[in-house]
Structure formats: structure tokens, C-alpha cells
Amino acid sequence: MKSERLRALLPDVWALMRPRRGLLLIGFFLMVINRLAGLVLPASTKYLIDDVIAKHRHDLLLPLVLAVVGATALQGVTSFSLTQLLSKAAQRLITDLRKQVQAHIGRLPVTFHDSHKTGVLVSRIMSDVEGIRNLIGTGLVEFAGGLLAAVVVMVWLFFISVKMTVVAIVVLLAFSGVLWKAFGSIRPIFRERGKINADVTGRLTESLGGVRVVKGYHAEAREESTFGAGVQRLLDNVLKSLTAMSIMTLSATVLLGIVGAVVMYIGASQIFAGTLTLGGFVTYTAFLAFLIAPVFQVVGIGTQISEALAGLERTREVMRERPEDQDPNRTVSLGPIVGNVEFEGVTFAYEAGKTVLHDINLTARPGTVTALVGPSGSGKSTMIGLVTAFYKPVEGRVSIDAVDLSSVRLDSYRGQLGVVLQESFLFDGSIAENVAFARPDATEAQVLEACRIARVDEFAENFPMGYDTIVGERGVKLSGGQRQRVSIARAILADPRILILDEATSSLDSESEAIIQQGLSYLMRGRTTFVIAHRLSTIRRADQILVVEGGRIVERGTHATLYSQRGRYYDLYTKQHGVESNLFLAPGEGDSVEVESLR
Ligand code: ADP
């Protein structure tokens, strides 16, 4: 990681550590005690050999052994408390961060979600956050403790033999330089790994989620090769870092050999010359390990920290995105609305320069049904997206009861909005939970009432578990019509002022169709309804039909007036349904005729 990027991350690292600085300090303190206690055993060896054994000082043996036992006990206790304190704190940190990142991502605007793969976001929440743990866990503290022990030991080593120590330190410093360089080359590999991981998981989530489409188009082999290529990239990345790591281990081994040989040579010469005792020599070799340990630790800790920083950087990217409700323009809190929706000169583009809606003007009065019809890609869903405030107009304004929607706090608005989509979205939960989704505080009686109106009761009560039947991921165990009934019940329970309907294009059998129509008519009553309409019955019943083409409203009026105008609507309509024999059927009659699509 380049140093300026590292610097940019420091405030975030500090923000994570700050609330836990007391804990980290205690951890460090414990680590110091732990390391110093660890020095007692090798240090006592010198006294054992040179004083107790060589000079036959029986009286010193017991105190020395007791000191070693005490120090070992201290080491045990401190290392246990360290794990308890720091590792647990690190796990709590992950949990907190995951909650934060998930909450944040959930509040980001639809435009953000439109341009980010689900799987990538999942990996932001789960894996990247996991990496950050290393900043708080035992790793850093252990490294700091190791460094401190090394410094203490170094002073000691100088006392025993200046010559040996100077040589050892020179070799170690040279090696640290090599390691530092090597790390510079590994870090980008780690950063890359996180990205590849997210890409691969992202694609995998999509292909598993869309398993029906994959199978339908017999595209299993293509998905296999896409996934294969993804994991291959991951493998290449891991292999690259493994090579770098093994070069490090190799040079570390060589280093140990060199230092060992040098110490052996100088140490033996000094013993011959009488400037070093045998005990001093044994202690020296034992201590040397303490000096070398941090150099090795750098390898492990460096990897962890690289991972942590890379994870932090990616998490930070997401956290910098502004949640929709933090928009400073959204200041108006709506009370209960009547539901008068108005578009005034609305122009919209997803990408600058590519206008999707041109100068749209419309009024949807409370309690009326506005049907949007027109070919695919004409802009119907985009208009709906503006009503739900997923998007903001580029020009003009969308208003609710004369309040500009772009100034409205979303929490005060969306609660009064109900949505029933083509692909009825059911969660992995019970039927009752799915119905109560929009109003978790609803009483059982209210849920049952909504289910009765939407005719969910007819099938739910036949299941052995009744309303507690789990509908599986996306409600796979329910038929299309049953899923729609559940989502109609959900909307009835939510009792929204404004209702958005995206009618299914797929046909249902005429009985289910009739049941769903009844549910929908109940649902639409007294609300401002926008419907992307495909069903004849809905279109006939609409108070106004807007014919959308190329992002413009080309015709508007009721079925009867538009039909008699013989314009675009007439063309679209007769292409699908032939010329109508009785134009003035009462709404509801002829409902069983399925409008395949006006597209
Ligand atoms: P309809 O609902 O009538 O089928 P849409 O409103 O979905 O049409 O699309 C209108 C136009 O906007 C199309 O040209 C489509 O390609 C484009 N479009 C839709 N969604 C997006 C998006 N998220 N980003 C960019 N362009 C989009």
C-alpha cells in the first residue's frame, strides 16, 4: 500500500482503536509481563550452569527453580487473559462493524444498488470486515510485545558478548531490509485478492439465484467456466503470494544458519580465550531466539495487517457513500398523506446525456387508478421509480400533496407506500411473517383478515402448518398465483395511501386470475394506484391510461376514449386483442381474458 493511501487510512484505524485504547493498553501491559516472564527461563540457565552447578551452590537451586516456576505461571496467566481480552474484543468489533456496514448498505439509494453486485456487497459485509479484526486482535500487541522483549534481550546480549551481538544485529538488520522490500510486493497481491474474491462470490450469488434461467437456457457449462476462470484467478493470486512467502521463509532459514554459525564460531573462540563462560554461551543462544522472533513475526503480522488495511479500505469506500435519507435537501417530514401525485415537466436520465423520460406531466388524484401501458423500455418502470423516490427528476418535479418529493424525508413517505411486484418477493419465512412484513406489529387478527381478503386462507389453511408454513427461499414452494396472493395480503395489511402494482405478464389460469383480480380491486379501492398494466381488466378499470413511448406520454384517457380515438392505444390494443365487439363492457366483465402483454 502506498504511503499516502496508508496515511489516508490512519484516521479510520484510529477511529477503530480509540474506543478500545484502554483495552489495547492493558493488552500491551499484559504482553510486556508475559514476555519478560518468558525471559526468566533462559536467563536462569546461565546461573544454573555457571553458579549453581559449577560452584556447587545447592542453596541457590531451589530459589532458581521457584523463580522459573513462578515466571512460567505468570506467563500462562497473562497469555490466557490476553486471549480472553483481545481476541474477544476483536470478535465483538467484527460484529459491530458488520452491523454498521449492513445497516449502511441497506440505506444506500437504489442507484447504488443498481450499480453494485449483491455478492460483492455480501463480501463487503462479511469478509472485508473479518480482515479488520487483525488490527485489534492479539497480532499487533503480540508484535509490540515481541519487539520490546527483543530490545531488552539485546541489552543483555551486549553484556554477554559485544562482538557476537554486533554481528548478529548486522545480519538481522540486513534481513529486515529484505523483508520490508518483499512485503511491498506482497501487499498489492492481498489487495487484489479481496477484489477477486468479491467478484467471484458476486457472480456465484447471481448464478445460483438465477438457477432457473441458467438451466432454462442450458447455460450450466458457461457458468461453470466463468466460475472456473474466477477461482483460477484466485488460485494464481494465492500462488503468487505463496511464492513470495516461501522466498521469505527460505531466506529466514538461511539467516538463522548464518547467525547460528557466526555465534558458534565467535562463542567457542571466546570460551577458549576465557572471555565467555559456558553458561553465558548457552544463555546467549537461547536469548538469540528472542531477538530473531520479531523479525519472523513481521512476516505473519505484516500479512495480517495488509489484509486488515485492504479490508478497511474497501469498507471505507462503501461507508463513504451517502445514505438516501442523509440528503441535506430532504428536510420535510410528511404527515399522513391524501395521495395526490403530480409530475410537472419531469425529465429523467440514469446516465448524463441519455434522457429516458422527457417532459412528463401527469396528475394522479387520490383514490384513482393510473395505468401505464406501452412497449418494453418505454420508461414505465422509471416513472414508477420516480413515484417511489428511488430516483429524482433531473428537471421538473414530482410532488405528493403538492410537496416536492425530493425534499421529503423518505422514512415519512415510504411508510405510506405499498408495492406489489411481478416477481412477488417472498422471504424465507412463514406465510404469516411474509404477510406481516410491512407491519410487523400487526395483530394476528389483522393478518388473518388480510389473508382472508386476498384469499390466502384458501391454500394456507390446507397446509399442515397453516400460516406458519415456511415458504422457502423466494417462496419456491408456492405457485405463482399463491405468491401473488401473499403479496396482495401484505399490501392490504400495510394499508398504503399510494399503491404501486407491477402486473405479472405471465398468464395464470382463469380461476387464479379471477381471485387475484378480486384481491387487487379490494386493494386499489380508495388509494392512488399506479399500475404497469398488462391485464385487460385492470386497464379497463383505470381512471386514466397513459400510453408511454420513448419516454413520452403519447396518449392519455380512459379505455373508451382512447379506443375510439383509434391512435397508438388502439393499435397496441387491437394488435393484442383484436377489435372489440362490445366497447362498453362494465368493469369486471370479460376479466378472465388474459392480456398477454401490450408489448
Ligand atoms: P419499461 O418499464 O417501460 O420497460 P424502463 O423504465 O425500465 O422501461 O426503461 C426505460 C429506459 O431506461 C430503457 O431504455 C432502459 O434501458 C433504461 N434503464 C432502465 N433502468 C436503467 C438503469 N438502472 N440504468 C440505466 N438505464 C436504465
Side-chain angles (χ1 to χ4, degrees), residues 15 99 115 180 212 267 344 357 362 390 403 407 411 464 471 510 520 532 550:
K99 285 197 274 193
S115 56
W180 189 251
R212 285 179 177 71
E344 295 159 82
L357 294 180
L362 70 92
F390 289 163
V403 181
S407 68
D411 48 359
V471 290
S510 48
L520 285 177
I532 297 183

Side-chain angles (χ1 to χ4, degrees), residues 22 80 89 108 129 134 212 231 254 270 280 321 338 399 432 482 536 551 557 594:
F80 174 80
L108 292 179
V129 167
N134 295 326
R212 285 179 177 71
V231 281
V254 172
Q270 289 189 333
E321 296 280 339
V338 183
S399 62
Q482 289 169 332
L536 188 57
E594 165 61 21

